[in-house]
Every structure is written in structure tokens, then in C-alpha cells.
Amino acid sequence: MATATSAGGGEVRLTGICRSYGTTQVVRDVNLNAAGGEILALLGPSGCGKTTTLRMIAGLVQPSAGEITIDGAPITGLPVHRRNLGMLFQNYALFPHLSVLENVAFGLAMRGASKTETTRRAREALALVRLAGFEDRMPAALSGGQQQRVAMARAIVYRPRVLLLDEPFGALDKKLREEMQIELRQLCNELGLTTILVTHDQEEALILADQIAVMRGGRIEQVDNARAIYERPVSHFVADFIGSSNFIAAGIVEKTGDHTLLRSAGGHLFASTVANDFSATDRVAVAIRPESVRLSPGEQPAAPNTLSGTIRRSLFKGQVLSVWMQNGSNGEFQVSVPIEEAGTLSPRPGEIWTARWSAERTLVVREQ
Amino acid sequence: MNETVSPLLKIVVGVILLMVVAPLVVPLLMSVSDTPYIVFPPQGFTLKWYAEVLANPEARGSFLFSLELAAIVTLVSLAFGVPCAAGLTRYRVPGQDAVLGLILSPLIVPLIVTGVALLQLFALLGSRATMLQLVIGHTVVCLPYVIRSVSASLLLVNRNLEDAAAVLGAPPHLVATKVIWPQVRPGILAGGIFCFIVSFDDYPISMWLADGNHFPVPLYLYTVIERSFDPSIAAIASLMIVFALLLVLVIEKVFGLSLARLAS
């Protein structure tokens, strides 16, 4: 069944989408494109407009301006029930008065499928999410993971072109969540569904999505694949929200090709070989991931991409040892030391150590 | 649900139930007493009082009239109450709290006062339509029960389910019948039952508005008590109790299962 359904997901395009409630602008000029069969994550903190954007695609919220198309056909004027989308809700939204089979069959029944056809396909969908044998149970008698699977089966049984997910794993515990994420990814790929996922969990976005759109204050900060977002964040916000970073405000003093030389207010020099679009007049900062940094004992001679400081504290975090060091003009600086190196390298509070990182690991980001 | 209940809790609940049910048992016992007047404890056993009551055209007429009145009042109260509750809970209406307060006020004002007020109003209007007056009077008193229980069930409706149904392809009218209705049905049903029983039992409103041709059971019972004091009074009371119990049992049988299914 899986391969037969790969009729291909629809291409979803958002052009100049805005939404305001009264004078509050919740979504501002969002332009997005999810190619057929792609998994796109809308990632951002709560209140960034990601859920509103998703609900506008579903038709549950009307955009104040802009247009949404699927495969080129505008759907903005279409009522919710005629958009032929699948959606997974935060708390699954299973119908409590219907059995598992009836829940899954709901969408087919609404499409006027015959009784036998409906039952057959609902059973197939349940088998696909590994819930065969649960047909007659009531949703309340299922575990969280099982409810999630029923919701999944219900959303895909009528073969929608696009699947929308609104924080679908929020209610599950960590281990189950990871399992479900991997299962979902497989299922979406098998069915070739275009999937748009809303999440505030960066890890979830990294695991699931082909493309991530980072949102903030109703706007899109950056859209790219997971790796590019992580390795080349464009703004302070993105570098901070995806993974963590040390930030040092600096100005561009020289730029030739992909080589950028920056200087902080304290006179430190930073060299970057990561491509960026900034010029000397932009307000930028240097961002350094804690795991990009190497530590060595004692104070070293001043050089680009080198900072010395006093160790404040260190914290064992399982796979890494997190170390915070204080550098006079640049404030606190966080370093992650892989645990296998931490045995030989053990910075103690009060000692002076030097942090060093390579120019390929020096990110230049826009300051807000 | 499977938690073990402490014996103390069982005893307390038992005592409370006993206090609720015991007074109801008294007329049942007295109604079978083979004496020409009411005694307690009953002496002997006979069903002749029931036969007498059921054979009495006045008693039968009152009983049937009360049933008719309660049925009409229930329908009218639901017809007004359900849309009203829906409006008050699902939309922002100016003066919402004032409207709600006004509708619920018959629960606060003594019923006898409401009854007098209605009588004066109808007299002022020169109305002689007793049935209509009774229906209006009972509806005023019953509406709060309907609005209360329907509002409560509407507030508990999960809005996500409506969104889910719409996304799954349900047009608005099917969202209403397939998703909202199953959720509010218990509330509407409970409101209807309350309404029926309140109307069926009502004395203080009927007292002012009824006439000889429209004579509900509670009024009949009261006049019988004034006239005589034989166990037929207890028989009428028992019939009313049994009737109310049957009503609740039937509804529990018909709709109770779906409630249990929801709660499980």
C-alpha cells in the first residue's frame, strides 16, 4: 500500500502571508515553500506565529493578507473541510465517543466512501501504524503513544496531499517521543507526503525536517536544511535558538571573499572563513559553538580566535563536560569538552586557561 | 476508579444515602397500611388505596395533566434554553453576565414570590389562558436548570475536536451532529430531566396560576390532605416517587451507557 499511495505530496507555497488580531501582528509577511514530499519544520519559541501560520494553511485561521497555494492552486478561499489536508493536533483530538476504527474511518466517511471500503482502508491504515487489533478500543483506553498512532492513521487514511503537524509529540515522554519521531519520518517518506511541522523543540526539527524555517516575532529568520541552519546561522537569534553559542559583539574590519576579519570592543581579533553577507556597516557578532572550542592550560599569547580567562565552574553533563570561563572584556564563555578528553584535561575553578577555535568554526551573525 | 475506599468513607456515604432515601420509604410503607387513616408503622397489608387512587377520575386527571404540562414545559425550556446556553457560552455577547443573572434569578427569589408576580402580571394583562400561563410560569422556573446543565456541557466541549473534524472533511452541519452533539447530549438530557421533574413537582407556581380544569398533581395532593387523611395520600405520593425513579432509570438505561463509555 505504501508505495501505491506515493501519488506525491502537494507543493505548498505561502506568499506574503500576514495575520493580525486587532493591532497585534502575529504573522508578518511570511514567504515559504515546501516542495512535494518534503518535511518542513516551523521552529520557534511560543508566540512566534508558527502555530497561526500552520492554522492558516489548514484553513482554521484566515490570513489578513497573502496567498497560500497547493500545487499552484490557491486554497485561501477554500473552507477547511474542502482542503483535503491531514492534520495532527497537539493533544491528538481523537473523538472520545468513537472507537479507534470509527475515528480512523471518520475522514473516509466524510468523503462518501462505502461502508466496506471505509472499514477496509481504516484497517489498513491502522496496520500501517502497527495498531491492528485495537479497532474496537475507545481512545481513552489507549496509551499516549497509541493515541498518537491512531491520530496518525486518521490523518493519512484518506491520502491527503499535505500533512500538518501541530507540536504532535509534546505530550509524550522523551524516549517515546524519539521513537515516534523516527516512525513518523519513515511514514512520511514512505507515503511521499508533504509535511509541515510546528515545533518549539529544536531537536525534533533537526531529526524530522528536510528544511527548517526558524520563526521569531511573526517573521521568518532563516529557512534552510538542518545542517546549514546549525553550521551557518544568519542571526544571533538563530545561533542561540538552535544549539547554543557564545556571542561576542564585533565589527567587520576586513573582508576578502569568504574571509572576514572582525574586532571586538576589547580589541580582540576574530577570523572567519564561513561565508556571510554582511558588510562593515552591519551590526554583527561573532558566534562560537561551545563544542568548537579547544582548551589548553595557562595563558597563551594573543592571537585571532584565542581567548584566555579564569575558569568559573564546570559541570558534568553525560557526554560532555561544560566549562565556563570568564574573559575580562568579553564576559562569560562556555566550552564543551568531550568526556573522553576531560580525563586528561581537567580545568579547575580559579585556574587560567586558553580557549582556541578555528576560522571555519567562527560564525558571523546579525545582531538584533 | 479501582482505588480502595476506606471503611469510614463507606459509612459516611451510607448514612448520607440513608438520610436521602429514608423519607421516601415512609410514604411507600404507609400506602399499604390496612387502616382507614395514616399510621406509622403500617398495620396489615393492602393495595386497595392504590386501586382507589387509580380508579379516581380526579386523581387520574391531575396525574395526566401534570405529565402533559411537564412534557410541554420541558420541550419549551429546551427550545429556549439550548440556544440561549449556546449563545452565552460560545459567543461574546454584550451584557452576558446580566442576561445570565436574570435567567438564573428564579433560583434565588422564593418561588412563591415569582408565582404571585406572575399572577399579578397575567391579571394585569387580562389573560384567561390558564394553560399558557402555567407553561410560562413553569418555564421561567425550569429554564435555569436547562441553561445551567447545557452551559456546563458546552463549556466542556473540546474545540480541538471541531477543528479536527473540519480538517478531516466534515462540513459545519456534520461537525454539529457528529462531534458537538455527542458531547452535549448528556447535558441536554440532564437539563431536560431536571426540568421535567421540577415542573412535575411544582406547587408554589401552580398554586397561583392553576384553575379547576388545569389541576396538577401536587395541588390535588394538597387538597386531598385537607379533605381526608387516609393512606390514599401516601399512595399518590408513592406513585409520584416511583414515577420519578422510573424516569431516571429509563434514561440511565437508554443513555447511561454512552455516559459510562465517555467516562471510561
Side-chain angles (χ1 to χ4, degrees):
Chain A
M1 173 191 169
T3 45
T5 55
S6 304
E11 186 200 32
V12 182
R13 189 180 287 274
L14 277 67
T15 319
I17 288 295
C18 300
R19 172 72 212 196
S20 31
Y21 292 101
T23 53
T24 326
Q25 273 195 293
V26 185
V27 174
R28 307 160 190 235
D29 191 28
V30 163
N31 296 287
L32 266 180
N33 188 20
E38 184 178 75
I39 303 182
L40 170 74
L42 302 179
L43 175 66
S46 57
C48 72
K50 56 191 192 301
T51 298
T52 308
T53 305
L54 191 80
R55 291 175 72 83
M56 284 193 281
I57 301 171
L60 297 166
V61 172
Q62 291 308 312
S64 314
E67 185 159 78
I68 303 169
T69 61
I70 297 181
D71 286 336
I75 57 161
T76 325
L78 223 53
V80 191
H81 64 276
R82 294 184 44 211
R83 293 196 178 190
N84 199 27
L85 308 169
M87 187 162 178
L88 240 63
F89 291 82
Q90 219 160 3
N91 293 308
Y92 321 129
L94 296 178
F95 304 122
H97 56 288
L98 300 180
S99 71
V100 166
L101 189 73
E102 289 165 332
N103 261 285
V104 176
F106 193 91
L108 291 169
M110 289 301 138
R111 281 161 180 74
S114 74
K115 184 99 180 148
T116 44
E117 165 87 352
T118 301
T119 311
R120 185 181 60 79
R121 286 174 61 184
R123 283 180 186 280
E124 276 178 9
L126 278 170
L128 198 64
V129 296
R130 299 192 286 113
L131 272 184
F134 286 76
E135 287 82 358
D136 297 326
R137 300 267 194 104
M138 297 309 285
L142 301 180
S143 72
Q146 290 167 337
Q147 291 187 18
Q148 166 87 65
R149 290 209 182 98
V150 176
M152 191 66 206
R154 185 179 68 171
I156 58 167
V157 69
Y158 49 87
R159 296 168 198 177
R161 289 174 298 170
V162 178
L163 183 64
L164 306 174
L165 312 176
D166 184 8
E167 305 254 8
F169 309 107
L172 302 176
D173 60 66
K174 191 170 157 51
K175 196 147 172 55
L176 191 56
R177 187 161 61 218
E178 280 170 12
E179 259 176 59
M180 293 300 303
Q181 284 164 348
I182 291 163
E183 248 177 67
L184 178 81
R185 167 128 214 178
Q186 276 173 353
L187 201 58
C188 289
N189 289 342
E190 266 175 43
L191 300 178
L193 283 171
T194 307
T195 304
I196 299 178
L197 159 83
V198 155
T199 182
H200 65 271
D201 180 355
Q202 45 146 321
E203 218 174 298
E204 187 165 294
L206 293 174
I207 292 175
L208 281 173
D210 301 314
Q211 282 220 87
I212 298 176
V214 182
M215 288 188 74
R216 173 174 179 246
R219 282 181 213 282
I220 299 213
E221 287 267 318
Q222 187 172 5
V223 189
D224 218 325
N225 65 53
R227 198 171 176 130
I229 292 243
Y230 191 83
E231 291 179 349
R232 292 189 303 277
V234 296
S235 68
H236 183 131
F237 176 79
V238 175
D240 202 27
F241 194 75
I242 315 266
S244 55
S245 298
N246 298 293
F247 295 96
I248 299 163
I252 297 178
V253 290
E254 200 182 301
K255 198 172 173 188
T256 41
D258 283 349
H259 290 259
T260 312
L261 190 67
L262 305 97
R263 187 188 288 122
S264 74
H268 282 89
L269 284 177
F270 303 95
S272 166
T273 54
V274 185
N276 67 68
D277 299 330
F278 304 111
S279 67
T281 51
D282 287 316
R283 279 195 63 211
V284 295
V286 176
I288 305 111
R289 301 278 186 200
E291 65 271 19
S292 304
V293 181
R294 292 286 163 270
L295 281 179
S296 51
E299 187 160 0
Q300 308 282 326
N305 300 348
T306 306
L307 285 177
S308 299
T310 316
I311 303 298
R312 286 277 173 239
R313 59 192 192 280
S314 64
L315 201 64
F316 175 69
K317 281 188 180 169
Q319 287 155 357
V320 296
L321 185 72
S322 271
V323 179
W324 284 266
M325 70 182 236
Q326 180 74 35
N327 173 278
S329 57
N330 299 307
E332 213 163 58
F333 201 81
Q334 193 191 343
V335 182
S336 294
V337 183
I339 210 68
E340 52 273 19
E341 288 172 33
T344 51
L345 257 171
S346 53
R348 286 173 214 290
E351 293 175 351
I352 304 243
W353 284 64
T354 298
R356 188 179 285 127
W357 60 93
S358 70
E360 301 99 80
R361 301 289 185 166
T362 308
L363 309 170
V364 183
V365 298
R366 186 177 67 241
E367 267 298 348
Q368 26 273 104
Chain B
M1 293 298 136
N2 295 323
E3 285 169 50
T4 50
V5 180
S6 81
L8 185 68
L9 186 64
K10 281 183 185 167
I11 291 169
V12 171
V13 170
V15 168
I16 292 172
L17 285 178
L18 195 68
M19 284 166 66
V20 172
V21 175
L24 297 180
V25 177
V26 173
L28 281 171
L29 289 175
M30 294 193 304
S31 68
V32 294
S33 180
D34 194 6
T35 49
Y37 44 85
I38 284 183
V39 287
F40 193 83
Q43 292 165 12
F45 178 84
T46 177
L47 290 176
K48 71 175 178 193
W49 302 115
Y50 284 94
E52 194 170 288
V53 166
L54 292 174
N56 181 343
E58 261 185 88
R60 254 202 343 248
S62 277
F63 186 75
L64 290 178
F65 176 72
S66 272
L67 281 188
E68 185 193 346
L69 179 62
I72 294 173
V73 166
T74 303
L75 290 179
V76 173
S77 299
L78 288 176
F80 283 102
V82 173
C84 177
L88 287 174
T89 48
R90 291 176 80 91
Y91 303 96
R92 295 225 51 82
V93 185
Q96 208 154 6
D97 294 338
V99 172
L100 191 64
L102 197 67
I103 290 167
L104 297 184
S105 63
L107 291 179
I108 301 155
V109 179
L111 289 180
I112 203 116
V113 175
T114 309
V116 174
L118 283 168
L119 178 66
Q120 284 180 330
L121 176 72
F122 291 136
L124 224 79
L125 293 173
S127 160
R128 291 182 176 278
T130 310
M131 188 62 184
L132 182 67
Q133 292 174 13
L134 277 170
V135 170
I136 292 174
H138 280 211
T139 302
V140 165
V141 175
C142 289
L143 214 48
Y145 293 95
V146 172
I147 301 233
R148 269 288 177 81
S149 74
V150 176
S151 302
S153 65
L154 276 170
L155 285 175
L156 288 176
V157 163
N158 183 349
R159 284 300 188 74
N160 265 337
L161 299 186
E162 290 164 47
D163 289 348
V167 171
L168 288 167
H173 70 278
L174 287 180
V175 173
T177 55
K178 301 243 174 218
V179 178
I180 303 176
W181 168 245
Q183 293 183 81
V184 296
R185 191 177 58 186
I188 292 177
L189 208 71
I193 295 170
F194 267 123
C195 185
F196 192 93
I197 291 175
V198 167
S199 166
F200 192 76
D201 281 349
D202 174 79
Y203 180 82
I205 300 286
S206 304
M207 183 184 100
W208 298 107
L209 302 177
D211 63 23
N213 296 324
H214 305 85
F215 210 59
V217 165
L219 296 194
Y220 176 74
L221 192 65
Y222 194 75
T223 54
V224 173
I225 290 172
E226 281 183 335
R227 274 205 311 255
S228 64
F229 205 61
D230 63 32
S232 67
I233 299 163
I236 298 172
S238 302
L239 285 174
M240 288 175 73
I241 292 168
V242 170
F243 175 74
L245 276 178
L246 275 178
L247 192 70
V248 172
L249 278 180
V250 165
I251 278 156
E252 177 63 29
K253 265 275 171 286
V254 177
F255 299 99
L257 276 176
S258 60
L259 284 179
R261 224 160 72 137
L262 272 180
S264 68

